[in-house]
Structure formats: structure tokens, C-alpha cells
Amino acid sequence: MGGTMSLTYAAAHPGRVRNLVLLAAPADTDHGGLLSTWARSTGLDLDNLAESFGLIPAWLLQTAFTLLKPTWMLQQHAALPSVWNQPQILRGYLALTRWANDNIPVSGAVLRDWAHGIYRDNGLVRGTLRVHGAPLRLDRLDAAVCNVIAGKDHIIPPACSRALSGL
């Protein structure tokens, strides 16, 4: 979420951001994989979720991300004994694991607006995303952008992020 939020800030406030680094930031959510499918599902009542929780707990968010690829963590743990004697690889594994599991609570209203504007409406691509009531225009972005895309990302597939270069 951070990359896309930074992107929207930079586009809404030209001249305030000189350089912008995006890490697996979703853009074209028509290519957003399972996360897009869930966000667009009529069975997922985000309004009710936001109202019920107020602040969406980190454990609930982590559960959702785990369910996107339930065997991923098991695969990672199964490979762990093979790197015990390789400190550099082990440090990288531990850092990635800590990062992947370091969720914070998110405001229910923010999550709802995010899911609707970015995922359900594909607002960045369609130009329908609004910031403070005004349409967000990515063509106003004047920062240098480094868009980092992970080739095998199951949360934000490459095609979802790659679309930013055309916007």
C-alpha cells in the first residue's frame, strides 16, 4: 500500500517529490491476480468489515495474505535446513520473513476506500481515483520513478505493476 499511497501523493502534489521508489506497487488491477479477485467479490463486504472492526487487526491482514498462497511459508521453512551453514542466505531469509510478517493494523475506512478505488474500480488505470475530491492525474507526476517489480510476486503480479510505466 505504501508505494501506491506515495505515488498518489506525488501525483496529487507535483513538485513536492523529486524521486519516488515503488516496490511492487499495484496499478492495473485487472491484472492483479487473486487479490483483485477477492477485492472485487460481492461476497467480501468491506463496508461491513470496516464498520465491524474500525481498525483492521494486523493478524487479519496477515491471514488474508497467507491465504493467497497457503503453502508458501511451508515451502520456505522446508528449505531452511539447507541454508543453516550459509549465514548470508540465512540473514536474507530471516529479513524477508520478518518483513513479510510485519503487518500493522489498517483503518477500516482506508482499507475499504483502497479496495474500492484501486482494486474494484481499477482507478489508477481508468483515471477515476479521486484524492480530496479531485481526480488523480498520474500524468501530472513529475518525479523520477524507480518501479521495482518482482518477477514471481503472487500478491502483486508483474503485469499489475508494469502498467505504471504507461501511465
Side-chain angles (χ1 to χ4, degrees):
M1 290 177 82
T4 306
M5 287 182 176
S6 298
L7 173 68
T8 59
Y9 177 85
H13 305 285
R16 290 192 184 174
V17 176
R18 184 180 310 161
N19 300 302
L20 181 62
V21 178
L22 306 173
L23 178 60
D28 186 353
T29 56
D30 283 347
H31 302 284
L34 186 55
L35 193 56
S36 286
T37 301
W38 286 355
R40 292 173 177 177
S41 168
T42 56
L44 179 60
D45 187 346
L46 292 169
D47 295 321
N48 187 36
L49 186 70
E51 187 178 317
S52 297
F53 279 98
L55 193 61
I56 309 299
W59 64 263
L60 183 57
L61 297 170
Q62 182 61 34
T63 300
F65 286 120
T66 300
L67 288 172
L68 287 170
K69 193 170 183 181
T71 60
W72 182 81
M73 195 57 84
L74 292 172
Q75 291 169 336
Q76 299 304 308
H77 291 320
L80 194 54
S82 67
V83 298
W84 281 130
N85 296 327
Q86 301 175 51
Q88 187 174 356
I89 293 174
L90 185 59
R91 276 194 300 276
Y93 168 82
L94 293 173
L96 180 61
T97 301
R98 185 175 331 120
W99 172 78
N101 292 294
D102 188 24
N103 293 301
I104 60 169
V106 174
S107 156
V110 167
L111 183 63
R112 180 194 59 228
D113 291 350
W114 172 268
H116 285 288
I118 302 293
Y119 279 91
R120 286 187 178 170
D121 300 339
N122 202 8
L124 287 174
V125 169
R126 293 192 179 113
T128 58
L129 189 67
R130 301 181 79 75
V131 176
H132 298 297
L136 181 72
R137 299 213 16 228
L138 290 182
D139 61 347
R140 294 185 63 210
L141 180 68
D142 61 356
V145 178
C146 175
N147 188 18
V148 179
I149 300 168
K152 295 182 180 180
D153 194 332
H154 67 278
I155 298 173
I156 307 297
C160 184
S161 288
R162 199 173 290 119
L164 281 173
S165 60
L167 299 174

